[in-house]
Amino acid sequence: MDRARPLPSRRRLLKGAALAAVPYALLPSTPASAGSQAVDYPDVEWRPASSSNYTASDRPMAYSLDRVIIHVTQETYARTISIFQNPEKKVSAHYVVRSADGHVAQCVREADVAWHAGNWDYNTHSIGIEHEGWVDQPAYFTDALYEQSAKLTAAICDTYGIPKDRAHIIGHFEVPGTDHTDPGPNWDWVRYIRLVNFA
């Protein structure tokens, strides 16, 4: 009959547990997946643009933020995100709003400079929001799109102290030097600014 081994001391058990934990403490943390990246606005999906399509920055420290620029994609929601993720396209926006349900994706952090306005000064001082649709097809400008976009714009304005008016919430067509016409004549600015102010 074998003799029973003596039980290890409490000190020896704690020492062994500490040594076993060391390799895990030295490992780098698991990188966040595309869906779990911290976003700047609650309840949005993180769909990151290629780092070739925006400029990393530290706004509002590096550049003050004083306007929101409203765009219309001239593409579908999915295709727009795909374009932003293509490193050869050299374009991005901070957010994309889907027409059918107002779902919002964030593609560039607000601290970084998205390449959306076609004007470096305007890019550095603004947040760009793309809206799924075409300027000549007003059916894309749904109630859900207007409402969710207005909530997003209101939150951005509140965060950075941007006035909620047409001088500071502008269309892409109002950017100096642009040849774009979006959001176009079918965009209801009166309704949109009212929704922003009541959000």
Side-chain angles (χ1 to χ4, degrees), residues 59-61 63-68 94 110-112 122-127 156-157 159-163 168:
R59 302 184 314 164
M61 299 299 288
Y63 302 99
S64 62
L65 287 163
D66 59 17
R67 64 184 65 94
V68 175
H94 294 93
E110 291 175 6
D112 296 327
Y122 275 64
N123 280 344
T124 57
H125 294 283
S126 67
I127 301 290
I156 291 165
C157 290
T159 298
Y160 301 106
I162 300 171
H168 297 88

Side-chain angles (χ1 to χ4, degrees), residues 92-165:
S92 63
H94 294 93
Y95 296 97
V96 182
V97 183
R98 191 164 56 203
S99 172
D101 56 4
H103 176 79
V104 180
Q106 183 169 5
C107 302
V108 177
R109 299 298 309 270
E110 291 175 6
D112 296 327
V113 179
W115 300 346
H116 61 97
N119 176 312
W120 179 247
D121 184 54
Y122 275 64
N123 280 344
T124 57
H125 294 283
S126 67
I127 301 290
I129 304 175
E130 287 280 2
H131 298 81
E132 179 184 25
W134 283 262
V135 296
D136 60 349
Q137 297 181 38
Y140 276 92
F141 305 151
T142 63
D143 291 344
L145 178 136
Y146 274 117
E147 290 163 10
Q148 295 308 310
S149 175
K151 288 178 186 177
L152 171 61
T153 295
I156 291 165
C157 290
D158 290 343
T159 298
Y160 301 106
I162 300 171
K164 297 174 183 175
D165 59 32

Side-chain angles (χ1 to χ4, degrees), residues 28-44:
S29 61
T30 305
S33 69
S36 66
Q37 171 73 28
V39 292
D40 293 307
Y41 179 73
D43 301 323
V44 301

Side-chain angles (χ1 to χ4, degrees), residues 2 37 76 152 179:
D2 287 335
Q37 171 73 28
T76 65
L152 171 61
D179 61 354

